[in-house]
């Protein structure tokens, strides 16, 4: 269940996605109290689509009470997070757990889930160091300034209204990975259901006309059966 307090990129608070088999609600409450948005992720045994469709800025997981071997779970989470920060925590103060998580690909690891001040401080540190917290996104020729709401491709300024900017920014958070129509409706329009309109398609068409027209290759791709993706390079496979 997402707990979302922002509207669009302007003034947008970073979204922390949390996975814990039994304590996600309490952790989400602590994250929200710290001034961020929070989303609780379901167990991966039901499928990875909710994980892939959540437009988070930081992923925080406990892989040590899991359906899968912890190191494998961390490697899976690393693949899903991509370039976004991955924080691993444990319900015990174990150096072995922390080292295993770091070796498997976590950006940081902490013991003791109850140590909320340190957990939140580490999350804040990771967000501060990330390009998203710095207000910048960029893939290949594309540069997006989330603070000034400025978009450039190959040095050319591209002007666009709010919804198109938000749509592009959410796609740029997960380059070369498709986001479903439902995920974009939730992230951009804050709609948790299908309204039966073609608003995503209409805005994607307008966005393509601005981001791709006149350039050597198209960055915005329709991925059949999966949604839409931002391609980071002309020879990249999606």
């Amino acid at each position: 269940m997402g707990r979302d307090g922002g509207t669009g990129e302007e003034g947008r608070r970073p979204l922390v996605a949390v996975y814990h088999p039994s304590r996600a609600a309490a952790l989400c409450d602590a994250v929200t109290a710290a001034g961020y948005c929070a989303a609780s992720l379901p167990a991966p045994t039901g499928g990875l689509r909710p994980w892939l469709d959540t437009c988070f800025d930081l992923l925080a997981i406990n892989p040590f009470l899991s359906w899968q071997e912890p190191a494998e779970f961390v490697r899976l989470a690393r693949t899903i997070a991509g370039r976004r920060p991955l924080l691993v925590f444990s319900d015990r103060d174990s150096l072995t757990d922390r080292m295993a998580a770091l070796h498997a690909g976590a950006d940081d690891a902490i013991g003791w889930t109850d140590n909320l001040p340190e957990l939140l401080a580490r999350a804040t540190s990771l967000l501060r160091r990330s390009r998203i917290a710095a207000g910048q996104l960029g893939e290949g020729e594309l540069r997006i300034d989330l603070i000034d709401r400025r978009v450039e491709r190959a040095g050319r300024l591209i002007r666009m209204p709010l919804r198109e900017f938000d749509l592009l920014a959410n796609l740029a958070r997960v380059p070369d990975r498709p986001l479903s129509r439902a995920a974009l409706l939730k992230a951009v329009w804050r709609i948790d259901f299908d309204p039966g309109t073609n608003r995503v398609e209409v805005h994607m068409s307008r966005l393509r006309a601005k981001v791709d027209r006149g350039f050597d290759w198209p960055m915005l791709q329709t991925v059949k059966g999966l949604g839409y993706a931002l391609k980071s390079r002309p020879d990249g496979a999606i």
Side-chain angles (χ1 to χ4, degrees), residues 10 16 33 37 70 83 87 92 118 145 171 178 184 190 193 195 215 227:
E10 189 172 4
V16 177
C37 296
R83 300 178 186 178
L87 174 63
R92 58 186 182 178
E118 184 177 357
D145 187 316
L171 291 168
L184 292 171
R190 304 298 189 260
F193 61 93
F215 293 94

Side-chain angles (χ1 to χ4, degrees), residues 151-172:
V151 177
E152 293 182 4
R153 180 171 178 184
R156 185 192 303 176
L157 178 64
I158 302 173
R159 301 185 185 279
M160 60 186 66
L162 172 66
R163 294 301 187 193
E164 291 168 27
F165 181 90
D166 288 350
L167 191 58
L168 181 64
N170 279 284
L171 291 168

